[in-house]
Amino acid sequence: MTNANSNEPQWHIESEGARINSLAHWEKLAGPKSPKHWKPGRSAYECASSWFGSNGRPAIPSELVNLLRSSEATDGAKVLKVLPEHRVRFDDLPGEPRNADVNVIAEGREGTIAISLEAKADEPFGELVSDVLESAVRKIVADTPTNGVLRVQQLAASIFAKGGCERLPLGDVRYQLLTGVAGVIAFARDVKASVAVFVVHEFVTDQTDDAKHLQNMRDLNAFVERLTRGRMNALPGNELFGPIAYGGSPLFPDGERPALYIGKIRRVTRSKGALGVFGVPVEKLERSFKPAADDGHWEGFDEVRPYALAEGGGVYLAQNSDGYFVATSEGALADLLDEELPSAYVRRFDSAMAREVWCAERYARLQRV
């Protein structure tokens, strides 16, 4: 992405046709409706701030640049236009369109790329689909017109390919993730892009809580597992995954369907003394490492349970008074390890949360038990 740090960028930020050249200008033209939502540490402010460098001038977030470089489909892409608070309609039903935090038009080697970013501090990904449906049913029984049920049915059929992983029931899907993916596909079709990229941009700040970050991680990973029909059980950071097959009809039935990719990036602004689990690189979450002395030997551990399976072995979770552990059996994950490391090993973590985050990043492509 050659224009990431240009002094005179060939790209621009705009809202309703007006150019945005500063954070204050973003707040005025594309800020939240309520001023109380515009404050450092929360998603609206942090999202906008991420698009300006230390000199206050527009700059593409470095984490987005690195994410796009991780895939052949987007490597070398040049950002052309950034559209904050961009509205996209993905169906013909009455009601509000999808309101993307940031939509981006970029130019890749094979044509136009459409990118949609969902900004999150530690706010949840909206309601569960079950809550949306319950609200619609209440309107129906009260003789109040609603298209809520039909909208959910169309979204589910268009986004989730048939015959996929059903570990996550539709009712437990976060509605915002469902509409976010539909929104980027619709956006890609609007701008005639061949690639649609949905990105969750997470902000870890002094005002966010690790327990809420963890719940968001779980919700996103469960969604990804269903979306990819079990090919991925989690979404590692800074790695774009795709193309992902999706249903298409009835929302996207005709013409060339854009190839769908999904990714997650993170920006940390927390104070150094309060970084927590989500404020440090995932590789720093482990506290010690040692080769397993005897494959399958669990003496001294409590509550041993399987986590994931791989050809030739598996991943297991255990704990005792010394901490929380991840152990792999002989032969498992050899293709994911550094050559100098054994394939049977034990890693120690200070907390169950740290272990869970590390496992999600490390074992995203394994079959979860």
Side-chain angles (χ1 to χ4, degrees), residues 132-340:
V132 175
L133 290 173
E134 287 175 8
S135 177
V137 169
R138 286 195 296 270
K139 291 180 180 179
I140 292 171
V141 299
D143 291 326
T144 302
T146 178
N147 292 297
V149 174
L150 178 58
R151 175 166 280 130
V152 168
Q153 289 176 319
Q154 290 185 343
L155 280 166
S158 302
I159 300 304
F160 294 132
K162 293 181 179 179
C165 175
E166 302 298 332
R167 185 194 296 265
L168 177 69
L170 179 60
D172 293 339
V173 171
R174 289 288 176 178
Y175 188 64
Q176 198 173 77
L177 293 171
L178 197 57
T179 59
V181 171
V184 74
I185 296 172
F187 176 50
R189 288 163 64 93
D190 287 348
V191 299
K192 296 179 172 52
S194 59
V195 175
V197 180
F198 180 70
V199 179
V200 173
H201 198 174
E202 182 180 41
F203 298 94
V204 180
T205 78
D206 285 330
Q207 283 70 51
T208 62
D209 178 74
D210 272 4
K212 293 179 180 179
H213 281 299
L214 180 65
Q215 186 58 54
N216 279 351
M217 185 194 80
R218 289 171 174 171
D219 288 337
L220 177 60
N221 288 346
F223 175 79
V224 167
E225 185 173 14
R226 176 156 182 165
L227 180 66
T228 63
R229 295 172 293 169
R231 291 171 59 195
M232 300 281 287
N233 68 66
L235 192 61
N238 306 314
E239 181 181 347
L240 202 58
F241 180 76
I244 301 168
Y246 55 96
S249 297
L251 296 181
F252 317 112
D254 302 317
E256 292 293 328
R257 294 176 182 168
L260 176 63
Y261 290 76
I262 188 168
K264 178 180 68 176
I265 53 179
R266 178 181 297 160
R267 176 166 290 207
V268 177
T269 60
R270 271 187 185 167
S271 304
K272 290 185 177 181
L275 290 174
V277 169
F278 285 86
V280 298
V282 67
E283 60 269 15
K284 293 185 178 181
L285 294 177
E286 62 175 309
R287 289 293 177 251
S288 63
F289 161 87
K290 65 178 181 180
D294 183 9
D295 183 31
H297 185 62
W298 298 108
E299 185 175 334
F301 290 105
D302 304 320
E303 302 180 30
V304 177
R305 59 186 174 89
Y307 174 84
L309 300 176
E311 184 176 354
V315 180
Y316 300 86
L317 306 182
Q319 66 184 70
N320 60 24
S321 58
D322 292 328
Y324 298 81
F325 299 85
V326 175
T328 56
S329 61
E330 189 65 45
L333 316 174
D335 58 334
L336 297 180
L337 297 176
D338 297 330
E339 291 183 0
E340 65 270 18

Side-chain angles (χ1 to χ4, degrees), residues 86-166:
H86 188 238
R87 293 156 69 88
V88 176
R89 188 168 292 280
F90 53 73
D91 62 26
D92 296 325
L93 299 174
E96 290 293 315
R98 159 73 178 170
N99 198 77
D101 292 321
V102 179
N103 276 347
V104 177
I105 300 173
E107 189 66 26
R109 297 190 183 107
E110 303 298 327
T112 303
I113 298 170
I115 306 166
S116 187
L117 290 96
E118 182 70 33
K120 281 285 171 254
D122 59 5
E123 311 91 346
F125 291 106
E127 298 177 286
L128 296 174
V129 167
S130 59
D131 296 328
V132 175
L133 290 173
E134 287 175 8
S135 177
V137 169
R138 286 195 296 270
K139 291 180 180 179
I140 292 171
V141 299
D143 291 326
T144 302
T146 178
N147 292 297
V149 174
L150 178 58
R151 175 166 280 130
V152 168
Q153 289 176 319
Q154 290 185 343
L155 280 166
S158 302
I159 300 304
F160 294 132
K162 293 181 179 179
C165 175
E166 302 298 332

